[in-house]
Structure formats: structure tokens, C-alpha cells
Amino acid sequence: MSNLNHIVLMVNGVQHERDVEPRLLLSDFLRHDLGLTGTHVGCEHGVCGACTILFDGQAMRSCLIFAVQADGHQVTTVENLGTPEKMHPLQDAFQEKHALQCGYCTPGFLMALVPFLEKNPDPSEEEIREAISGNLCRCTGYQNIIEAVKLAAEKMAVR
Ligand code: FES
Ligand code: FES
């Protein structure tokens, strides 16, 4: 007997229809079924933030969502943020301030920060620290990430 669920969802503005097992995580669906490997998987239990995506515009951890729960919803991944030719100001700022080393955590930071800066375009350092408190980085020591967020806010203010 088939135990598949039919889902229809929008990912980065494109509609996808698939039959998925109820236990399939959204993070695995994005990476393995859709080939969107920019969403990284670290802990797979909601701790590291590497898998953060936008779910109906809100930053969420895709390892804590089943693909079936995304039926009828809008998902945005880091692939939708910018292109190598035209990066998002956050991506530019991360590059300029050396806010990444191995880069494994970076997609999660970026996707957590996009809605944060939309809601709070001129954040204090304390607010930035709070905003990234759910994302782990094992390389940078966070200071350069904080500097990058400040720079991104400046860049976005003059756009
Ligand atoms: S992989 Fe989802 S929070 Fe770590
Ligand atoms: S840059 Fe390596 S884990 Fe953050």
C-alpha cells in the first residue's frame, strides 16, 4: 500500500508537485528532491540553524518541518537571495567583512537575517546578537558576522 502524500508548494517562486513520504523532512526534500543544496543540514534537531529557510516569509528551521507540512505554502531558500553577478546586500556585506570561513553556517545566517533586517532596518548590536543567537558558527567567532549585519543595514538603507 502506498504511503505517499501529494504535496503542492511554491519554492523560490516556482510551483512544485511531488508525492512524498510523511516522514520526509523539508530540509531533505529541498536538498534531495529539488536539488537545492544551499540549505545546509547540521544537527537535524533544531539547534544549529544551518537549515534555516523562509516559510511564508518567516525564518524557520527546515529540519523541524515535514515536507507534507509545506503543502500549500511558500518556501524561500538561499538560492533565491542573489546571484553571483548581483548579490543581496547581506551577501555582499558577508564577503566584505569576512563573515564566513568554511561557509557551512552561512545560508542559515543569511536566511535568518533577511526577515530580521526587513523588520528592523537599523538594528543595535545587541539586537543583532539576539537575532543570530539561534545560529551556530564554528569558525568566525561571530564578531565579523555582526559587523557584516551592520554593513548590510547601511547598504540596504541607501538602496
Ligand atoms: S540542521 Fe536544522 S537546526 Fe541544525
Ligand atoms: S563559517 Fe564555518 S561554521 Fe560558520
Side-chain angles (χ1 to χ4, degrees), residues 101-123:
Q101 290 180 31
C102 79
Y104 201 82
C105 67
T106 309
F109 273 91
L110 295 172
M111 298 316 279
L113 286 164
V114 165
F116 167 69
L117 283 181
E118 277 169 11
K119 270 192 225 118
N120 188 351
D122 186 22

Side-chain angles (χ1 to χ4, degrees), residues 27 40-52 60-64 104 134 136:
S27 48
H40 289 169
V41 169
C43 65
E44 284 196 282
H45 62 272
V47 175
C48 73
C51 65
T52 304
M60 296 215 186
R61 294 163 195 278
S62 57
C63 76
L64 295 184
Y104 201 82
L136 299 182

Side-chain angles (χ1 to χ4, degrees), residues 4-5 11 17 21 29 49 52 56 68 76 86 96 100 106 125 130 135 139:
L4 298 178
N5 291 64
V11 180
E17 288 192 41
E21 286 190 31
F29 173 76
T52 304
D56 294 337
V68 291
T76 308
K86 191 170 178 0
E96 279 181 49
L100 63 146
T106 309
E125 178 156 334
E130 171 74 25
N135 291 74
C139 302

Side-chain angles (χ1 to χ4, degrees), residues 51-156:
C51 65
T52 304
I53 48 97
L54 302 187
F55 192 93
D56 294 337
Q58 304 253 52
M60 296 215 186
R61 294 163 195 278
S62 57
C63 76
L64 295 184
I65 302 170
F66 291 113
V68 291
Q69 292 175 291
D71 185 31
H73 291 272
Q74 307 253 3
V75 172
T76 308
T77 70
V78 72
E79 282 87 351
N80 202 48
L81 212 50
T83 63
E85 297 73 35
K86 191 170 178 0
M87 292 198 287
H88 186 281
L90 262 169
Q91 292 170 312
D92 267 334
F94 265 61
Q95 185 181 48
E96 279 181 49
K97 291 290 181 183
H98 308 290
L100 63 146
Q101 290 180 31
C102 79
Y104 201 82
C105 67
T106 309
F109 273 91
L110 295 172
M111 298 316 279
L113 286 164
V114 165
F116 167 69
L117 283 181
E118 277 169 11
K119 270 192 225 118
N120 188 351
D122 186 22
S124 66
E125 178 156 334
E126 200 179 334
E127 289 168 332
I128 296 170
R129 287 182 183 275
E130 171 74 25
I132 62 169
S133 61
N135 291 74
L136 299 182
C137 175
R138 283 295 170 257
C139 302
T140 66
Y142 301 101
Q143 196 56 43
N144 287 3
I145 295 175
I146 292 162
E147 296 305 320
V149 181
K150 290 181 194 166
L151 178 61
E154 285 169 26
K155 285 174 181 283
M156 291 166 81

